[in-house]
Amino acid sequence: MVQYYTANQVWVLFYFPLFVADRVIFLPGTFQNVSVSRNETVQAVVSRITSDVAYVTLQFHTQHRNATLSYVRMPGQGTSLTAVDSGLLSALQPSQASLSLFLSSPDEDAVAGTGVILPYSSTDPVPGACNTEFPLDIDPNVYILYNLYETSIRFAPANLGYERGEPPAACDQSTEANTRWRLRYDVYQYFLPENDLSESSLFSGIQDVADIQGMMKNGKRVMTLLSSDMSMVVFNSTPGQGVIYSVIVRDPLRNSSASYVPVHTYACSFTSSLGGCQTLGKISTKVFFTIAGLAGLFVCFFGHRFFKCELFCMGFSFGTFFFFVLITRTTELDYDMCLAVSAVIGVVGGVLLVMSWWRWGSVMACIVVIGLMLGFLVASTVLFTPLGDLDVLRRSDAVFWVTFCCIMIIVPLFFVRWPREGNIVTCGAVGAYAVILAVNAYIYTSLSFITLNILKRFLNNNFSAVFTDVSFKAIDYSMITVWVVLGVGGIVLQLYRERTRPFFPPSPYLMWLQERERRKTNVLDPSYHFPSLPNRLLARARQLTRRMEPAGEHTPLLL
């Protein structure tokens, strides 16, 4: 049975025949859908608790917005928890038949979710009662961290159950069989339907596995931990696939059990403008990066030889990146439209860079733009290393961007002394990395986070580097090898092939001006007597409009 409640209007059929403001009546074991408005607090009331219940847990789940559960109306440290999947455990006093907890939205937006109250007896273990790590005194929650590859869950150890009014057993005084060290922890996993990111699908899954019987029936037990084991389990991440994790603590002596608060993840962000759950596996992303990878492979080996093509690719990359950030931050366009508009503007940027070199022939101006592209990649790579994990860089955007810009600007300075070598190095490094990004469109690799972390910092004001911590797998080391082999191979090949050629090709427009002046002054040149293009077109037009004379002799015969 599921009922829907709002913060201002709650329909209660069981105990109250009238609407009750800011109050939700929870029945043990019955899910309630609750919507909490902005700047409001909902009182969760549990009444008519039977005497055989020693403690109850209230759990509340949303899809991606945080909600705050609190023991008191005003949340505080140690009395509240803010999370997407949150829960509180309340130990009951003798003769206590009701209790109240409080639910609120910590952000500026309203939050909607589903909650349930689960009762437990004195023989059941108490989840999180031996907590020494997390903020609540008794913490029945499962804490989850994820990245592109791994999802880890942690939880506080449980304690033995006890009667109302009695003191709990000591947690760490002894490891005998009559202490909490005999408890076992079964870790369960439940997969949501594939390619289904809907809220209704999540709430249906939560309702199926929130209690012990539901999780044992519908979930899959992946392992059992002893009390002496570390209370942490690591799983593989599958971005876009919803998974619910839960822990059931068992007391083998009393043959009883209790459930921690289930937690869910999609291994992706619903709020991120890039790399979020809504953009995973999009055809537009695959098409864009496939074309970019092919262009990068060409630039890696032939960029300096075909200088105009290289300029177009660099100008395209610069324009697409800049305007993607600008459009995403200033408009409400969806991802596909932002990518399409940015690509069109990137084409214009590439054409402008080529035309600037074609018209004015300033190689150094173009080399500065190319050097900034290499500087961007170098700065992104440096801050992708453990150096980027320094607290001063992670917590201060000002320090981060100053450091990033300094590294980015230093690189083009070397191009002033060695312009051709710097251009070839840029072709090899940037072109090979474009190939890695193309591979990432089909096979996830953490090397894409070298530039993706920077792009996320541009797009998300509350970006946290902790979220994007990645671990290297075999595929990542393979991609590093591919990047190095392609980059070094392209650089060596171009340096060898261009060793006897001019440093840079001349400007076509300047060459045309020189050729025109030469034709005007050199009468011995056959092209000097060749009509200009306008004269040739005018002569051709006259031939088309003039009546054709019959062939034959037109002069009189001589006698």
Side-chain angles (χ1 to χ4, degrees):
M1 178 180 179
V2 178
Q3 300 180 10
Y4 188 80
Y5 296 91
T6 65
N8 296 320
Q9 190 173 17
V10 180
W11 180 255
V12 182
L13 294 175
F14 298 94
Y15 306 109
F16 299 95
L18 302 175
F19 294 100
V20 181
D22 298 336
R23 177 180 294 179
V24 175
I25 305 298
F26 277 91
L27 296 176
T30 301
F31 278 88
Q32 313 283 22
N33 288 343
V34 183
S35 177
V36 182
S37 301
R38 174 182 175 183
N39 297 328
E40 284 193 290
T41 300
V42 175
Q43 183 180 8
V45 179
V46 186
S47 59
R48 297 187 180 180
I49 303 175
T50 59
S51 58
D52 61 333
V53 176
Y55 67 92
V56 297
T57 59
L58 169 62
Q59 52 181 264
F60 188 75
H61 306 272
T62 68
Q63 187 175 35
H64 61 88
R65 297 185 184 278
N66 285 333
T68 299
L69 277 179
S70 177
Y71 290 106
V72 294
R73 184 172 291 274
M74 297 300 295
Q77 181 68 24
T79 62
S80 64
L81 179 68
T82 299
V84 173
D85 301 283
S86 54
L88 295 178
L89 187 148
S90 295
L92 302 177
Q93 299 299 321
S95 71
Q96 183 179 358
S98 63
L99 64 89
S100 295
L101 300 172
F102 299 90
L103 178 64
S104 61
S105 173
D107 303 319
E108 294 297 326
D109 299 324
V111 60
T114 185
V116 66
I117 289 283
L118 297 179
Y120 294 96
S121 66
S122 59
T123 60
D124 297 327
V126 183
C130 290
N131 172 45
T132 58
E133 181 179 0
F134 304 111
L136 299 175
D137 290 336
I138 301 179
D139 199 332
N141 295 277
V142 176
Y143 292 86
I144 189 167
L145 293 174
Y146 69 89
N147 55 42
L148 189 63
Y149 293 104
E150 295 179 349
T151 298
S152 62
I153 62 172
R154 297 183 301 158
F155 55 93
N159 201 358
L160 301 178
Y162 53 92
E163 296 286 348
R164 292 193 187 190
E166 294 184 358
C171 290
D172 297 318
Q173 286 186 355
S174 174
T175 59
E176 300 295 331
N178 59 346
T179 65
R180 63 106 176 171
W181 292 93
R182 69 175 185 238
L183 299 178
R184 302 290 185 268
Y185 301 89
D186 294 335
V187 181
Y188 282 83
Q189 186 181 48
Y190 174 80
F191 287 98
L192 297 174
E194 294 183 0
N195 301 318
D196 190 348
L197 303 177
S198 64
E199 187 179 75
S200 59
S201 174
L202 170 65
F203 288 175
S204 176
I206 289 290
Q207 293 170 13
D208 288 339
V209 299
D211 57 3
I212 300 173
Q213 292 76 18
M215 180 56 82
M216 294 178 65
K217 176 182 177 181
N218 301 297
K220 176 184 177 182
R221 187 177 68 179
V222 293
M223 65 180 60
T224 298
L225 299 177
L226 303 177
S227 295
S228 57
D229 296 331
M230 181 179 295
S231 57
M232 182 180 71
V233 183
V234 180
F235 301 88
N236 289 328
S237 293
T238 306
Q241 172 63 59
V243 186
I244 300 176
Y245 299 98
S246 185
V247 178
I248 296 178
V249 54
R250 295 185 294 105
D251 187 343
L253 186 61
R254 296 179 176 179
N255 195 25
S256 59
S257 58
S259 175
Y260 283 75
V261 177
V263 64
H264 77 278
T265 181
Y266 294 90
C268 57
S269 172
F270 278 83
T271 58
S272 177
S273 301
L274 185 72
C277 295
Q278 306 298 337
T279 61
L280 290 173
K282 279 187 172 292
I283 298 299
S284 58
T285 303
K286 294 182 178 180
V287 171
F288 179 85
F289 282 105
T290 300
I291 297 175
L294 294 176
L297 188 62
F298 176 83
V299 170
C300 179
F301 290 96
F302 306 101
H304 189 77
R305 179 71 178 274
F306 299 91
F307 191 59
K308 292 188 289 293
C309 296
E310 177 199 350
L311 289 179
F312 175 81
C313 292
M314 296 298 177
F316 173 82
S317 302
F318 184 84
T320 302
F321 182 89
F322 178 81
F323 280 95
F324 184 84
V325 173
L326 183 63
I327 294 172
T328 303
R329 289 191 66 94
T330 58
T331 67
E332 298 296 330
L333 296 178
D334 61 10
Y335 172 79
D336 289 335
M337 187 60 65
C338 286
L339 187 61
V341 174
S342 302
V344 172
I345 299 177
V347 171
V348 176
V351 172
L352 290 178
L353 186 60
V354 173
M355 293 303 296
S356 65
W357 170 76
W358 185 89
R359 175 62 180 82
W360 289 285
S362 177
V363 173
M364 292 308 301
C366 298
I367 288 300
V368 168
V369 177
I370 295 173
L372 290 176
M373 293 293 296
L374 181 61
F376 178 89
L377 182 59
V378 171
S380 302
T381 305
V382 170
L383 296 177
F384 182 72
T385 64
L387 180 64
D389 293 331
L390 296 177
D391 289 339
V392 65
L393 295 175
R394 178 179 296 174
R395 297 178 181 178
S396 174
D397 284 339
V399 175
F400 178 87
W401 288 119
V402 168
T403 305
F404 182 86
C405 292
C406 289
I407 300 175
M408 182 176 174
I409 294 174
I410 288 175
V411 173
L413 297 180
F414 294 94
F415 285 41
V416 177
R417 176 62 180 85
W418 301 283
R420 181 177 65 176
E421 290 74 10
N423 182 61
I424 292 177
V425 170
T426 302
C427 291
V430 176
Y433 185 72
V435 176
I436 301 302
L437 293 180
V439 175
N440 180 74
Y442 302 91
I443 303 174
Y444 289 108
T445 168
S446 61
L447 293 185
S448 64
F449 280 90
I450 292 176
T451 52
L452 188 60
N453 284 353
I454 305 301
L455 188 55
K456 284 186 175 183
R457 276 192 177 269
F458 275 117
L459 297 178
N460 303 322
N461 293 327
N462 297 322
F463 177 80
S464 173
V466 176
F467 176 78
T468 59
D469 285 343
V470 295
S471 59
F472 278 84
K473 301 295 184 181
I475 181 65
D476 298 306
Y477 293 108
S478 301
M479 288 297 100
I480 291 176
T481 304
V482 171
W483 188 9
V484 172
V485 170
L486 287 179
V488 174
I491 293 171
V492 172
L493 177 64
Q494 294 195 70
L495 287 175
Y496 177 79
R497 189 175 54 230
E498 303 296 327
R499 69 187 187 281
T500 59
R501 295 177 178 271
F503 275 20
F504 290 93
S507 168
Y509 179 74
L510 297 180
M511 290 182 62
W512 176 79
L513 289 178
Q514 295 173 2
E515 181 68 17
R516 187 179 66 173
E517 292 298 324
R518 187 183 63 83
R519 289 198 305 266
K520 287 181 179 179
T521 57
N522 187 5
V523 295
L524 298 179
D525 190 345
S527 64
Y528 178 84
H529 305 282
F530 192 72
S532 63
L533 178 62
N535 292 336
R536 295 200 304 271
L537 294 177
L538 182 59
R540 182 59 179 168
R542 287 174 179 174
Q543 291 178 3
L544 295 176
T545 57
R546 183 178 298 174
R547 185 175 64 88
M548 299 296 295
E549 296 291 341
E553 184 62 55
H554 292 273
T555 59
L557 296 175
L558 296 178
L559 296 177

